[in-house]
Structure formats: structure tokens, C-alpha cells
Amino acid sequence: MKFTGLCAFPLTPLQPAAAALSHSGFAVDEAAFAALVERLADAGVDSIGALGSTGSYAYLSRAERARVAELAVQSAGTVPVVIGVSALSTREVLANVDDAQRAGASAVLLAPMSYQRLTEEEVFGLYERVAAELSVPVVVYDNPATTGFTFTAGLHGRIAELPGMGSIKIPPVPTSPDAASAAVAHYREHIPANVTLGVSGDGSAAAGLIAGCDAWYSVLAGVLPRECLDLTRAAQSGDHATAAAISSRFAPFWDLFAAHGSLRVVAAVAEELGLTGPDALPHPVRGLDGVGRRAVAAALDTAGVSRG
Amino acid sequence: MKFTGLCAFPLTPLQPAAAALSHSGFAVDEAAFAALVERLADAGVDSIGALGSTGSYAYLSRAERARVAELAVQSAGTVPVVIGVSALSTREVLANVDDAQRAGASAVLLAPMSYQRLTEEEVFGLYERVAAELSVPVVVYDNPATTGFTFTAGLHGRIAELPGMGSIKIPPVPTSPDAASAAVAHYREHIPANVTLGVSGDGSAAAGLIAGCDAWYSVLAGVLPRECLDLTRAAQSGDHATAAAISSRFAPFWDLFAAHGSLRVVAAVAEELGLTGPDALPHPVRGLDGVGRRAVAAALDTAGVSRG
């Protein structure tokens, strides 16, 4: 697969488990998940990232993750699927890699998830070990807010030289054009041309794509794929004004993401659009309260998104 | 149980798994773990904390954790055992709570482990849910460095009012006496007297105990229980000079903990003392290199710890 354009990350919607399984607490809503993935494929996204942070991978069992990977590939049609394989132990990462490859993943997404703070050598060792097991490419997932690990550009460069590295999902870039270009150029000094750079932090997507990022790894595209495709295609065609204008329409979302975390906000969007049931997040994580939900509905109105 | 005095946290030593289980990577070294716990009980510690951060709980499966909990209680004799039950999902925490209670835990230790950053209300909801399931007390585990969540004293106060809360394992206090006393007093303004305060961050243990903490939740005591008991008993008897002097003898350890993380350092101590085999940590976490190991051996010499 090519690691360019729009990669949309669907939620993995949950639902309360059957009462008999008293401590299970939740189960994957498989029908809702499959429908979310089909909707992304129908919209024409370039790739689909299942079991990313937005896909609540960190809260699911190995068996649930294997099942979600299967469903994602089955529901995506011809759209390539990237499967998140991160876990706290290398042992569990390798098990997830097996499951993802068996499910037909086109690539895997791997973050240096940490409990004990990891050293650079430990993180390099993780990617080296996983690279040795893989027959599909790796997307390096750099997300200090959730993993507790901060990459240097130098470490990215070392990892990017390993066999099978396809792309790096970088943290948000600054939104001012000069600073965004400088940030992307700094990565490029260390990273070979065969490894693409994908921006995350949806509020900085337009800035990142305009500054030369090859891809957008998008949370919002998991629920609003058409709107995010419009932004991506405008940026790719050099129509920076349109890309920036679309991003501005979604400014209330970027504020809500900053206030509540993107997962809680897109879960509220999915429920507002009728794509999932209520309480679709893994406890202890909870959905937005009434005030937050009303702000999400208002943000959808501001962006001109029609419902139902 | 009373949550006072010295609570020693043993490692959960690992060993490479049988080659046939190609992706298992590691298994718990049950014999070494049981011997570590027996050694702590023989030394006369006040309680034993199994499956803390030092016990690598975050890297083990539910079945491994249940087995370690059983072994800990069996090996501790009459010493009460606190079992770590933390996990990313409430679902998994509740399963671990069941297992810990079945194993005979005298209390459970619960941290608000997070992947998505948690809100105060979400963390309160976690403790509220767990408190409703428990027949043994809870030690609230406040460790921002590993969990990514920072408690306010106000949140501690709300949680401490829940039924069954026994103690709070607080982060390191400042080592200057006045600042340590102010830190402990700030907690005490919010926390009822029936909930004890235990200091962590071994380098601040003497300061914390002298400032009025009721307990020391100790990593170093997992490998050097007699020395840590000497410090604890001195502080408890009001002999602050002796407590501070013992802490000073271990100053090279506090520096090594800051540089490498306490887990990697105590794993090297355990190996140096012949208590565990090599490579006892869960990958991607790795043991110290040769330079680090030599520094650990020198720190043992400085502290006057004899080997073998």
C-alpha cells in the first residue's frame, strides 16, 4: 500500500456486555463497527486505520482485537487497512502482529506504549524485534500524549532505516505555515524518502498537508470522511485556500478535541449521527456530558454537516 | 490490616519462555518470586505489596497475575499482602479484584492507569465502582510518572471518603524537612484520619516518615528489606538522625533510580545478590548495561551491603 492521502480511523464502538458476564462490562458492537468501516470505504478514503487510539485498542483483549482486525479487512473492500498492534509488552505486540497479518492487514501501526518510561534503545529494540517478524509494512505511531514516550527526530531516522518501515504518524505540527514547514523539514532531514510522513492532530492537518506531509492520519475522518476527503484533496491539488477554509469550518471541533480529547468528541459525533449506540467508550473513559454533547451538535451545525 | 510501617514491593522476576512458545517471550519465574516474598516475610516487613509497578503488573496476563497473587499470599506467611489490581479498563480491574480476593489478599492497590488521559470524574468513577465490589480495603496508588494521571488533593479527599479506602501511596515528597511537612499537611487537610498516608520514592522515604507519613511503600525494600526496616524503625521511634543517616548511605541508589528508573536498578540488585536470573524484566524494558551494573555494585558497597 501507499501511505499517502487520507487514512481514516474508525471508533471501535462498544456496548454493555450481557448481564450474565457480570465483569465483562462491555463487548464490541460488531455490527456498528462493520458499518462504520463500510461507510469509510464507500466515501473513498485512501486507507483505514483500525484499532488506533480512536479504536480503543488499549482497552480490548487480544481476542477482541483479532476479531476487530478481521471485521475491518472484511468490511473495507479494496481499501487497504492498517491495524494497530501496540501493547505494553513486546510479547503482546508480537501476538497482535500475528493476528493482524492473519486477518489480512495491509500494514500495522505500532506505538511505543509504555508503563515504565522507555529509553531510546528500548524503543529501537521494540521496532527492530517487530520488523523481524513482519511481512507487511509498519507505520510508526508517535503520540506522546497517550504513550508517554517522546521520539527525537534522530530516533525516527534510525527506526526508519529498519526493513519494512512505511510511514510515520507524527504528532500535530504548528498551524502557522512557516513553523509547520520547519517541523516537516526537520523530520525530513532524518527520514529517508521512502518513508512517508503523516500528520495527526486533526486541527493541524491542513497545515501539515500544505507543509508537505504525505498523509493525514485522521480521527475526524472516522465519522466525517467526506468532509475530511474534501480537505485532503484540496491540499493535495495545491488549493491551499480551500484546505484552510474547510479546516476553519471545523474549528469548533479542534477546540472540543483540545478540551475533551478527540475520542470522547468523535464518540459523541458518532452517536449524534446515529452510527453507534450510547456508552460506546471503554470505562473508566466516559462520554461527554450534556453540555459537551450540545457543543458537539453546535459544532456539526457550524460545519454544515447534515444529519440523518 | 494496618497500613503503617514498611510495605515492601518485590519484583516479579521473569525468565525467557520455552522456545516452543515462540511468541510468549517470557514467563514468571515462580520459584524466584516465592523466595523473594519469603525473604521479605522473614525480614519482618509490615506488609508486602505484590504486583506493584516494581512487580511489573502492567506487562502480565490476567492468569499470570492471579497466579502471582496466590504465590504471594502463600509465601508471605502471616504478613499481610497487598495485591496490585490496576489495568487500563475498569472491566479488567474488576477481574483482577476478583482474583486478588480469591487469592487471599489483605488489600488491593489501585492506580488510575491511563491510555486516554482521564478526567477527575472518570478516576473518581473508577474507585467508586471498585469500592462497590470489594470486601478488603483499597490502597490508592498515586504515581503520575507511570499512570499519566495527576491527582489533586481534593480528588484524594473525595476518594478517601468512599467505603473501604485504607491508605494512599503518595508520590515522593520534597527532602527538605519543612517542605516535606508542608506536603504531608496539605494531604491531611483533605484526607480523613482513618486513611493512612504512605510515602513512595525511596529517596524521600526518610523525609516522608519524619514529616508524618504513616507508611513507606518501598521498592528498595523488595531487595534490601533489613536495611529499609532499620530506616523505618528509626523514623517511627523518633530517631530522625539515624533514619536520615541510613538514607544517606543509600544516596547512590537514589541517584541511580533517578537516572534509570527504580525497576531497572532493583532488578540489577536482585541479580547481583543472586536472587533472580538475568533478563528478569518484561521487554521492551531492558536491564542495565555493564556501566549501570557496575554502578549498582558500587552503590551496594557504599551502603555496606554484603553479598552471598
Side-chain angles (χ1 to χ4, degrees):
Chain A
M1 67 173 289
K2 293 195 299 179
F3 297 96
T4 56
L6 182 65
C7 182
F9 282 76
L11 293 158
T12 306
L14 305 175
Q15 57 190 358
L21 307 164
S22 68
H23 280 168
S24 295
F26 60 75
V28 174
D29 183 344
E30 296 190 0
F33 176 73
L36 279 175
V37 173
E38 284 168 15
R39 187 166 168 272
L40 302 180
D42 290 348
V45 300
D46 297 300
S47 59
I48 292 169
L51 296 169
S53 295
T54 309
S56 292
Y57 77 84
Y59 304 91
L60 303 179
S61 70
R62 177 181 177 184
E64 286 168 334
R65 292 173 69 163
R67 176 66 181 144
V68 168
E70 280 177 6
L71 281 171
V73 173
Q74 286 166 14
S75 308
T78 58
V79 179
V81 175
V82 183
I83 298 288
V85 295
S86 311
L88 287 172
S89 70
T90 305
R91 173 178 79 165
E92 212 175 327
V93 171
L94 292 171
N96 293 335
V97 162
D98 271 358
D99 296 340
Q101 295 196 134
R102 197 169 296 122
S106 296
V108 299
L109 175 70
L110 177 59
M113 201 181 164
S114 56
Y115 180 75
Q116 298 287 340
R117 299 305 92 178
L118 298 175
T119 67
E120 286 218 0
E121 283 314 302
E122 287 170 345
V123 170
F124 182 78
L126 170 67
Y127 284 92
E128 192 178 34
R129 180 77 184 83
V130 170
E133 294 290 327
L134 275 169
S135 53
V136 298
V138 176
V139 178
V140 174
Y141 185 9
D142 179 353
N143 187 348
T146 54
T147 66
F149 181 80
T150 301
F151 282 88
T152 59
L155 178 61
H156 271 311
R158 287 179 66 200
I159 291 171
E161 300 283 353
L162 289 168
M165 297 294 137
S167 184
I168 305 173
K169 179 179 186 302
I170 64 171
V173 297
T175 49
S176 91
D178 288 353
S181 295
V184 173
H186 182 58
Y187 284 107
R188 272 286 160 233
E189 281 169 31
H190 294 268
I191 292 156
N194 64 301
V195 173
T196 73
L197 291 177
V199 68
S200 62
D202 288 350
S204 80
L209 290 168
I210 291 168
C213 284
D214 312 284
W216 175 16
Y217 294 107
S218 175
V219 173
L220 192 68
V223 287
L224 299 176
R226 289 178 201 284
E227 292 81 352
C228 295
L229 266 172
D230 289 345
L231 191 164
T232 306
R233 298 295 181 244
Q236 287 177 316
S237 70
D239 183 358
H240 298 171
T242 298
I246 298 171
S247 184
S248 293
R249 272 204 285 139
F250 285 90
F253 278 104
W254 315 148
D255 294 341
L256 287 164
F257 281 18
H260 301 291
S262 57
L263 176 62
R264 295 179 188 85
V265 176
V266 293
V269 171
E271 193 184 337
E272 176 79 15
L273 298 180
L275 302 171
T276 65
D279 208 17
L281 297 176
H283 291 186
V285 180
R286 307 252 171 187
L288 298 182
D289 63 12
V291 175
R293 284 161 188 275
R294 284 190 289 278
V296 165
L300 285 169
D301 292 338
T302 301
V305 176
S306 62
R307 271 82 123 193
Chain B
M1 68 173 288
K2 292 195 300 180
F3 297 96
T4 57
L6 182 64
C7 182
F9 282 76
L11 294 157
T12 306
L14 306 175
Q15 56 190 358
L21 308 163
S22 68
H23 279 166
S24 295
F26 61 75
V28 174
D29 183 343
E30 296 190 1
F33 176 73
L36 279 175
V37 173
E38 284 168 16
R39 190 167 166 270
L40 301 180
D42 289 347
V45 300
D46 298 300
S47 59
I48 292 170
L51 295 169
S53 295
T54 309
S56 291
Y57 77 82
Y59 304 91
L60 302 179
S61 70
R62 176 180 177 185
E64 286 168 334
R65 293 174 69 162
R67 176 67 181 143
V68 168
E70 279 176 6
L71 281 171
V73 173
Q74 286 166 14
S75 307
T78 57
V79 179
V81 175
V82 183
I83 298 289
V85 296
S86 312
L88 288 171
S89 69
T90 304
R91 173 178 78 166
E92 212 175 326
V93 172
L94 292 172
N96 293 335
V97 162
D98 271 358
D99 296 341
Q101 296 196 135
R102 198 169 296 125
S106 296
V108 300
L109 175 70
L110 176 59
M113 202 181 164
S114 57
Y115 181 76
Q116 298 287 339
R117 299 304 93 177
L118 298 175
T119 66
E120 287 218 358
E121 285 310 309
E122 288 169 344
V123 169
F124 182 78
L126 169 67
Y127 283 92
E128 192 178 36
R129 179 76 182 82
V130 170
E133 293 290 328
L134 274 169
S135 53
V136 297
V138 176
V139 178
V140 174
Y141 186 7
D142 178 353
N143 187 349
T146 53
T147 65
F149 181 80
T150 301
F151 281 88
T152 59
L155 178 60
H156 271 310
R158 285 179 66 200
I159 292 170
E161 301 283 352
L162 289 169
M165 296 294 138
S167 184
I168 305 174
K169 180 181 185 299
I170 64 172
V173 298
T175 50
S176 91
D178 288 353
S181 294
V184 173
H186 182 58
Y187 284 108
R188 273 286 160 233
E189 280 169 31
H190 295 267
I191 292 156
N194 64 304
V195 173
T196 73
L197 290 177
V199 66
S200 63
D202 288 349
S204 80
L209 290 168
I210 292 168
C213 284
D214 312 284
W216 174 15
Y217 293 108
S218 175
V219 173
L220 192 67
V223 287
L224 298 177
R226 289 178 200 284
E227 292 81 353
C228 295
L229 266 172
D230 289 345
L231 191 163
T232 306
R233 298 296 178 244
Q236 287 178 315
S237 70
D239 182 357
H240 297 172
T242 298
I246 298 172
S247 185
S248 293
R249 274 204 285 140
F250 285 90
F253 279 104
W254 315 149
D255 295 340
L256 287 164
F257 281 19
H260 302 291
S262 57
L263 176 63
R264 295 179 188 86
V265 176
V266 293
V269 172
E271 194 185 335
E272 177 79 15
L273 297 181
L275 303 172
T276 66
D279 208 18
L281 298 175
H283 290 187
V285 181
R286 307 252 173 187
L288 298 182
D289 63 11
V291 174
R293 282 160 190 277
R294 284 190 290 278
V296 165
L300 286 169
D301 291 338
T302 300
V305 177
S306 62
R307 271 84 121 195

PDB file of all heavy atoms in Angstrom, chain A residues 255-273:
ATOM      1  N   ASP A 255     -11.283  22.878  18.971  1.00  0.00           N
ATOM      2  CA  ASP A 255     -11.369  23.347  20.366  1.00  0.00           C
ATOM      3  C   ASP A 255     -11.923  22.241  21.274  1.00  0.00           C
ATOM      4  O   ASP A 255     -11.444  22.039  22.387  1.00  0.00           O
ATOM      5  CB  ASP A 255     -12.264  24.583  20.462  1.00  0.00           C
ATOM      6  CG  ASP A 255     -11.662  25.784  19.728  1.00  0.00           C
ATOM      7  OD1 ASP A 255     -10.432  25.781  19.473  1.00  0.00           O
ATOM      8  OD2 ASP A 255     -12.425  26.718  19.397  1.00  0.00           O
ATOM      9  N   LEU A 256     -12.948  21.547  20.788  1.00  0.00           N
ATOM     10  CA  LEU A 256     -13.529  20.461  21.592  1.00  0.00           C
ATOM     11  C   LEU A 256     -12.522  19.327  21.780  1.00  0.00           C
ATOM     12  O   LEU A 256     -12.445  18.724  22.858  1.00  0.00           O
ATOM     13  CB  LEU A 256     -14.808  19.936  20.928  1.00  0.00           C
ATOM     14  CG  LEU A 256     -16.027  20.856  21.029  1.00  0.00           C
ATOM     15  CD1 LEU A 256     -17.111  20.440  20.025  1.00  0.00           C
ATOM     16  CD2 LEU A 256     -16.585  20.816  22.452  1.00  0.00           C
ATOM     17  N   PHE A 257     -11.759  19.016  20.739  1.00  0.00           N
ATOM     18  CA  PHE A 257     -10.717  17.985  20.866  1.00  0.00           C
ATOM     19  C   PHE A 257      -9.731  18.372  21.974  1.00  0.00           C
ATOM     20  O   PHE A 257      -9.329  17.540  22.782  1.00  0.00           O
ATOM     21  CB  PHE A 257      -9.940  17.813  19.554  1.00  0.00           C
ATOM     22  CG  PHE A 257     -10.630  17.003  18.491  1.00  0.00           C
ATOM     23  CD1 PHE A 257     -11.997  16.753  18.532  1.00  0.00           C
ATOM     24  CD2 PHE A 257      -9.896  16.490  17.425  1.00  0.00           C
ATOM     25  CE1 PHE A 257     -12.619  16.010  17.529  1.00  0.00           C
ATOM     26  CE2 PHE A 257     -10.506  15.735  16.433  1.00  0.00           C
ATOM     27  CZ  PHE A 257     -11.872  15.503  16.471  1.00  0.00           C
ATOM     28  N   ALA A 258      -9.329  19.652  21.964  1.00  0.00           N
ATOM     29  CA  ALA A 258      -8.349  20.099  22.969  1.00  0.00           C
ATOM     30  C   ALA A 258      -8.941  20.013  24.374  1.00  0.00           C
ATOM     31  O   ALA A 258      -8.241  19.664  25.328  1.00  0.00           O
ATOM     32  CB  ALA A 258      -7.894  21.529  22.656  1.00  0.00           C
ATOM     33  N   ALA A 259     -10.219  20.312  24.496  1.00  0.00           N
ATOM     34  CA  ALA A 259     -10.843  20.341  25.829  1.00  0.00           C
ATOM     35  C   ALA A 259     -11.149  18.941  26.349  1.00  0.00           C
ATOM     36  O   ALA A 259     -11.008  18.682  27.548  1.00  0.00           O
ATOM     37  CB  ALA A 259     -12.126  21.166  25.784  1.00  0.00           C
ATOM     38  N   HIS A 260     -11.574  18.027  25.486  1.00  0.00           N
ATOM     39  CA  HIS A 260     -12.122  16.743  25.955  1.00  0.00           C
ATOM     40  C   HIS A 260     -11.367  15.516  25.439  1.00  0.00           C
ATOM     41  O   HIS A 260     -11.693  14.393  25.828  1.00  0.00           O
ATOM     42  CB  HIS A 260     -13.586  16.608  25.520  1.00  0.00           C
ATOM     43  CG  HIS A 260     -14.471  17.695  26.024  1.00  0.00           C
ATOM     44  ND1 HIS A 260     -14.788  17.820  27.361  1.00  0.00           N
ATOM     45  CD2 HIS A 260     -15.101  18.712  25.385  1.00  0.00           C
ATOM     46  CE1 HIS A 260     -15.580  18.873  27.513  1.00  0.00           C
ATOM     47  NE2 HIS A 260     -15.778  19.433  26.329  1.00  0.00           N
ATOM     48  N   GLY A 261     -10.402  15.711  24.561  1.00  0.00           N
ATOM     49  CA  GLY A 261      -9.776  14.561  23.902  1.00  0.00           C
ATOM     50  C   GLY A 261     -10.609  14.181  22.690  1.00  0.00           C
ATOM     51  O   GLY A 261     -11.843  14.160  22.746  1.00  0.00           O
ATOM     52  N   SER A 262      -9.953  13.870  21.582  1.00  0.00           N
ATOM     53  CA  SER A 262     -10.682  13.631  20.337  1.00  0.00           C
ATOM     54  C   SER A 262     -11.595  12.410  20.438  1.00  0.00           C
ATOM     55  O   SER A 262     -12.669  12.378  19.830  1.00  0.00           O
ATOM     56  CB  SER A 262      -9.709  13.489  19.172  1.00  0.00           C
ATOM     57  OG  SER A 262      -8.777  12.453  19.412  1.00  0.00           O
ATOM     58  N   LEU A 263     -11.203  11.398  21.225  1.00  0.00           N
ATOM     59  CA  LEU A 263     -12.011  10.172  21.305  1.00  0.00           C
ATOM     60  C   LEU A 263     -13.413  10.466  21.833  1.00  0.00           C
ATOM     61  O   LEU A 263     -14.417  10.021  21.260  1.00  0.00           O
ATOM     62  CB  LEU A 263     -11.318   9.150  22.209  1.00  0.00           C
ATOM     63  CG  LEU A 263     -12.099   7.851  22.454  1.00  0.00           C
ATOM     64  CD1 LEU A 263     -12.327   7.083  21.161  1.00  0.00           C
ATOM     65  CD2 LEU A 263     -11.375   6.972  23.474  1.00  0.00           C
ATOM     66  N   ARG A 264     -13.491  11.215  22.934  1.00  0.00           N
ATOM     67  CA  ARG A 264     -14.807  11.499  23.517  1.00  0.00           C
ATOM     68  C   ARG A 264     -15.664  12.317  22.550  1.00  0.00           C
ATOM     69  O   ARG A 264     -16.885  12.159  22.485  1.00  0.00           O
ATOM     70  CB  ARG A 264     -14.646  12.243  24.842  1.00  0.00           C
ATOM     71  CG  ARG A 264     -13.953  11.412  25.928  1.00  0.00           C
ATOM     72  CD  ARG A 264     -13.801  12.195  27.228  1.00  0.00           C
ATOM     73  NE  ARG A 264     -12.978  11.475  28.198  1.00  0.00           N
ATOM     74  CZ  ARG A 264     -11.647  11.505  28.243  1.00  0.00           C
ATOM     75  NH1 ARG A 264     -10.971  12.256  27.384  1.00  0.00           N
ATOM     76  NH2 ARG A 264     -10.983  10.799  29.139  1.00  0.00           N
ATOM     77  N   VAL A 265     -15.007  13.205  21.788  1.00  0.00           N
ATOM     78  CA  VAL A 265     -15.755  14.076  20.876  1.00  0.00           C
ATOM     79  C   VAL A 265     -16.268  13.283  19.671  1.00  0.00           C
ATOM     80  O   VAL A 265     -17.450  13.391  19.303  1.00  0.00           O
ATOM     81  CB  VAL A 265     -14.887  15.267  20.428  1.00  0.00           C
ATOM     82  CG1 VAL A 265     -15.633  16.119  19.404  1.00  0.00           C
ATOM     83  CG2 VAL A 265     -14.466  16.101  21.640  1.00  0.00           C
ATOM     84  N   VAL A 266     -15.416  12.460  19.065  1.00  0.00           N
ATOM     85  CA  VAL A 266     -15.915  11.709  17.894  1.00  0.00           C
ATOM     86  C   VAL A 266     -16.928  10.655  18.319  1.00  0.00           C
ATOM     87  O   VAL A 266     -17.832  10.310  17.540  1.00  0.00           O
ATOM     88  CB  VAL A 266     -14.798  11.081  17.025  1.00  0.00           C
ATOM     89  CG1 VAL A 266     -13.986  12.168  16.343  1.00  0.00           C
ATOM     90  CG2 VAL A 266     -13.947  10.107  17.783  1.00  0.00           C
ATOM     91  N   ALA A 267     -16.814  10.152  19.543  1.00  0.00           N
ATOM     92  CA  ALA A 267     -17.842   9.218  20.025  1.00  0.00           C
ATOM     93  C   ALA A 267     -19.191   9.931  20.102  1.00  0.00           C
ATOM     94  O   ALA A 267     -20.233   9.361  19.751  1.00  0.00           O
ATOM     95  CB  ALA A 267     -17.454   8.637  21.382  1.00  0.00           C
ATOM     96  N   ALA A 268     -19.175  11.188  20.547  1.00  0.00           N
ATOM     97  CA  ALA A 268     -20.424  11.964  20.602  1.00  0.00           C
ATOM     98  C   ALA A 268     -20.941  12.257  19.195  1.00  0.00           C
ATOM     99  O   ALA A 268     -22.156  12.217  18.949  1.00  0.00           O
ATOM    100  CB  ALA A 268     -20.205  13.264  21.379  1.00  0.00           C
ATOM    101  N   VAL A 269     -20.038  12.536  18.259  1.00  0.00           N
ATOM    102  CA  VAL A 269     -20.451  12.767  16.862  1.00  0.00           C
ATOM    103  C   VAL A 269     -21.101  11.495  16.306  1.00  0.00           C
ATOM    104  O   VAL A 269     -22.169  11.544  15.667  1.00  0.00           O
ATOM    105  CB  VAL A 269     -19.244  13.176  15.982  1.00  0.00           C
ATOM    106  CG1 VAL A 269     -19.643  13.206  14.507  1.00  0.00           C
ATOM    107  CG2 VAL A 269     -18.672  14.522  16.421  1.00  0.00           C
ATOM    108  N   ALA A 270     -20.473  10.363  16.563  1.00  0.00           N
ATOM    109  CA  ALA A 270     -20.994   9.099  16.025  1.00  0.00           C
ATOM    110  C   ALA A 270     -22.395   8.828  16.564  1.00  0.00           C
ATOM    111  O   ALA A 270     -23.291   8.387  15.826  1.00  0.00           O
ATOM    112  CB  ALA A 270     -20.052   7.946  16.385  1.00  0.00           C
ATOM    113  N   GLU A 271     -22.583   9.122  17.844  1.00  0.00           N
ATOM    114  CA  GLU A 271     -23.909   8.889  18.419  1.00  0.00           C
ATOM    115  C   GLU A 271     -24.919   9.881  17.839  1.00  0.00           C
ATOM    116  O   GLU A 271     -26.036   9.505  17.465  1.00  0.00           O
ATOM    117  CB  GLU A 271     -23.822   9.016  19.951  1.00  0.00           C
ATOM    118  CG  GLU A 271     -25.061   8.475  20.639  1.00  0.00           C
ATOM    119  CD  GLU A 271     -25.032   8.695  22.152  1.00  0.00           C
ATOM    120  OE1 GLU A 271     -23.932   8.860  22.731  1.00  0.00           O
ATOM    121  OE2 GLU A 271     -26.131   8.718  22.733  1.00  0.00           O
ATOM    122  N   GLU A 272     -24.495  11.152  17.713  1.00  0.00           N
ATOM    123  CA  GLU A 272     -25.370  12.199  17.149  1.00  0.00           C
ATOM    124  C   GLU A 272     -25.783  11.852  15.709  1.00  0.00           C
ATOM    125  O   GLU A 272     -26.898  12.140  15.285  1.00  0.00           O
ATOM    126  CB  GLU A 272     -24.608  13.541  17.187  1.00  0.00           C
ATOM    127  CG  GLU A 272     -25.298  14.730  16.567  1.00  0.00           C
ATOM    128  CD  GLU A 272     -26.366  15.362  17.461  1.00  0.00           C
ATOM    129  OE1 GLU A 272     -26.369  15.056  18.666  1.00  0.00           O
ATOM    130  OE2 GLU A 272     -27.201  16.119  16.939  1.00  0.00           O
ATOM    131  N   LEU A 273     -24.878  11.216  14.972  1.00  0.00           N
ATOM    132  CA  LEU A 273     -25.172  10.846  13.583  1.00  0.00           C
ATOM    133  C   LEU A 273     -25.886   9.496  13.486  1.00  0.00           C
ATOM    134  O   LEU A 273     -26.166   9.015  12.384  1.00  0.00           O
ATOM    135  CB  LEU A 273     -23.889  10.807  12.751  1.00  0.00           C
ATOM    136  CG  LEU A 273     -23.100  12.119  12.608  1.00  0.00           C
ATOM    137  CD1 LEU A 273     -21.854  11.897  11.744  1.00  0.00           C
ATOM    138  CD2 LEU A 273     -23.970  13.225  11.994  1.00  0.00           C
TER     139      LEU A 273
END
